[in-house]
Amino acid sequence: MSFGEPEGYDERVRPRPLGARIRSRTAAVAVCVVLGLGLIGGAVTGSWLTGDDGADGGASAFVTAGQLWHSVPVDQLFPPTVQGQGAGPGGADRTWTRIAVAPDTGCANAFDPLLRGVLAPVGCQRLLRATYTDATQSYVTTVGLLFTKADIAAMTALSTRFKNENLGNRTDLMPRPYAAKGTLAAAFGDKQRASWTISVLTDAPVVVYAVSGWADGRTVDTPEPAGEAVTSGGTTAPAQSGLGNEAQGLADRVERSLRKTVDSPSGRSKTSEESS
């Protein structure tokens, strides 16, 4: 016994062999698959030829960040006023006013010899610094942006070393302050350093740091890293005075402003509210 080929119906409701319809649809699907693969292959080939992959965006932003020291106004990198909402002890708000900006320089004499040696592998392209005071003018804090000569791999290696060896908490690796003559920070020298923080960025060739002290020039026998001074229940002078919060809070806001500038390098200058 043999069976006839099953039938379907055409647009005029006339019997039509179902096998022919299936074959035609199969052919159409095959054509679509071929065209789709061709488009995908062309796109992949194009990305290979142009080098357009996900890593390029990050590399481009990294390079852009390394040029900000001479292409962005100082008021954008170091705003005249910085709002630190919740940056003080117990979540209190802080307001910092810039009292001095150092001329952009190299790194000679800007760091203690030991810290200079630790930073040497990434090089020094330019160093920008500014010193701020709090609303009560009781404290002074220098924040710095070290623009390095390093690539992503070198910055990542330095960041890893800081974490693995706990370099950011060593008192012999404190950054130096910028003591501007004729300002509240005139007496802010090495012996007045109370608390500090250092952040090695891996998405930009920049090291961000801050160091704080009292505005009256008093010396500090036992400085404390900001990460420890901001913990609750601290009994050290930097912790109880909030100098750890001064250093960490201001460094964080300047770093945030830097990242926003990298994200939109041709955008308008950031306001103090955007930096908070």
Side-chain angles (χ1 to χ4, degrees), residues 155-246:
M155 293 301 295
T156 300
L158 181 62
S159 175
T160 300
R161 185 185 176 194
F162 261 79
K163 293 175 182 177
N164 291 345
E165 300 180 26
N166 200 30
L167 300 184
N169 290 336
R170 284 176 43 172
T171 55
D172 56 353
L173 293 177
M174 283 190 295
R176 283 178 173 171
Y178 173 59
K181 296 180 180 180
T183 71
L184 286 173
F188 189 22
D190 291 350
K191 294 182 179 180
Q192 284 71 36
R193 293 177 290 187
S195 192
W196 76 98
T197 182
I198 302 177
S199 176
V200 180
L201 307 189
T202 57
D203 53 355
V206 180
V207 176
V208 183
Y209 69 86
V211 56
S212 61
W214 278 276
D216 60 9
R218 75 183 72 174
T219 59
V220 180
D221 295 328
T222 309
E224 186 175 22
E228 296 177 3
V230 298
T231 57
S232 61
T235 58
T236 65
Q240 292 187 338
S241 65
L243 282 167
N245 297 83
E246 296 293 306

Side-chain angles (χ1 to χ4, degrees), residues 8-40:
Y9 296 91
D10 62 13
E11 67 276 6
R12 297 182 180 179
V13 198
R14 295 178 300 188
R16 184 179 65 185
L18 186 58
R21 183 172 62 179
I22 293 175
R23 284 193 297 272
S24 65
R25 288 187 176 180
T26 302
V29 170
V31 171
C32 291
V33 170
V34 171
L35 290 175
L37 290 175
L39 291 173
I40 293 172

Side-chain angles (χ1 to χ4, degrees), residues 118-172:
V118 170
L119 297 174
V122 296
C124 174
Q125 179 176 212
R126 216 67 177 172
L127 177 63
L128 307 182
R129 295 170 294 170
T131 298
Y132 289 77
T133 188
D134 68 307
T136 66
Q137 297 188 347
S138 299
Y139 313 118
V140 284
T141 302
T142 293
V143 58
L145 295 173
L146 166 60
F147 288 84
T148 75
K149 300 178 180 179
D151 57 14
I152 295 176
M155 293 301 295
T156 300
L158 181 62
S159 175
T160 300
R161 185 185 176 194
F162 261 79
K163 293 175 182 177
N164 291 345
E165 300 180 26
N166 200 30
L167 300 184
N169 290 336
R170 284 176 43 172
T171 55
D172 56 353

